[in-house]
Amino acid sequence: MRRSLILALVASLAAGGPAVYLASTASAAEACAPAWSAAAVYVKDNRVSYQSVNYTAKWWTQNESPATHSAQWDVWADNGVCGGTTPPTTPPTTPPTTPPTTPPTTPPTTPPPGGAGCTATTSVNAWTGGFVTTVRVTAGASALNGWSVSLTLPAGSAVTNAWNSQNSGTTGTVRFANAAWNGRVAPGTSTEFGFQGTGSAPSGTPVCTAS
């Protein structure tokens, strides 16, 4: 086919005919991933699109817009402009309790003996200048109707985002209280929450209080 077009062009020029223009088509942009949703929960390597740009999640995230959280140390990696109209995925109806897929760099602390209250343990995924901490709250001999966990951050560190909890303060000693959906915990069972921060991760034993 291409040879025939070239021969036709040569013949046309030799005969003094009008110039023949051959159009070329640019390669299509990469197809857009499912559209980002503020209600959805994403984990490491999940792909989304936002405003015709593809992004890949670096770790667990929810309600963090790729347009404002795709810097070097943010949760989204910018994969460039995309094309296509892939529909958004349906967000999960309940928040997951799976910790970050990257193995924690700090082993979980040993929990104190269980009683009528609650205990808390942490797992940390840290990098230069930031960290993500996952906290597991375990009920003792009695069910919990609510709980709170206090941790002390090193000097210069700060909490920038939290999920499955409500935090009071961002530096120094920070208190995390249960969210509306995870305050009730049956005896001997657990629930989890997490938070992201800048600086160094907390290394002390968290203090869990039943309420």
Side-chain angles (χ1 to χ4, degrees):
M1 177 66 180
R2 181 177 179 183
R3 183 177 179 183
S4 299
L5 290 174
I6 293 174
L7 291 175
L9 173 61
V10 173
S12 176
L13 292 175
V20 177
Y21 296 93
L22 300 178
S24 62
T25 58
S27 59
E30 180 183 5
C32 287
W36 173 79
S37 170
V41 173
Y42 302 97
V43 296
K44 184 176 183 292
D45 294 334
N46 281 174
R47 287 170 55 85
V48 301
S49 63
Y50 185 75
Q51 296 180 346
S52 297
V53 177
N54 275 338
Y55 297 88
T56 300
K58 300 177 184 177
W59 53 79
W60 196 103
T61 179
Q62 182 181 29
N63 196 26
E64 292 180 288
S65 171
T68 56
H69 291 81
S70 58
Q72 182 178 5
W73 302 116
D74 275 331
V75 65
W76 291 107
D78 186 336
N79 296 328
V81 176
C82 66
T85 57
T86 305
T89 57
T90 303
T93 56
T94 57
T97 57
T98 304
T101 55
T102 303
T105 57
T106 303
T109 57
T110 302
C118 59
T119 58
T121 57
T122 60
S123 296
V124 178
N125 180 21
W127 59 91
T128 302
F131 62 92
V132 170
T133 296
T134 300
V135 183
R136 172 170 290 185
V137 176
T138 302
S142 302
L144 303 178
N145 292 320
W147 49 263
S148 65
V149 175
S150 296
L151 301 100
T152 300
L153 300 179
S157 298
V159 174
T160 58
N161 185 37
W163 52 91
N164 292 347
S165 65
Q166 305 175 65
N167 60 297
S168 300
T170 58
T171 59
T173 299
V174 182
R175 178 177 177 271
F176 298 86
N178 61 271
W181 59 84
N182 62 356
R184 299 181 65 86
V185 183
T189 62
S190 302
T191 187
E192 291 183 347
F193 71 94
F195 60 95
Q196 181 180 346
T198 57
S200 301
S203 57
T205 302
V207 178
C208 184
T209 303
S211 59

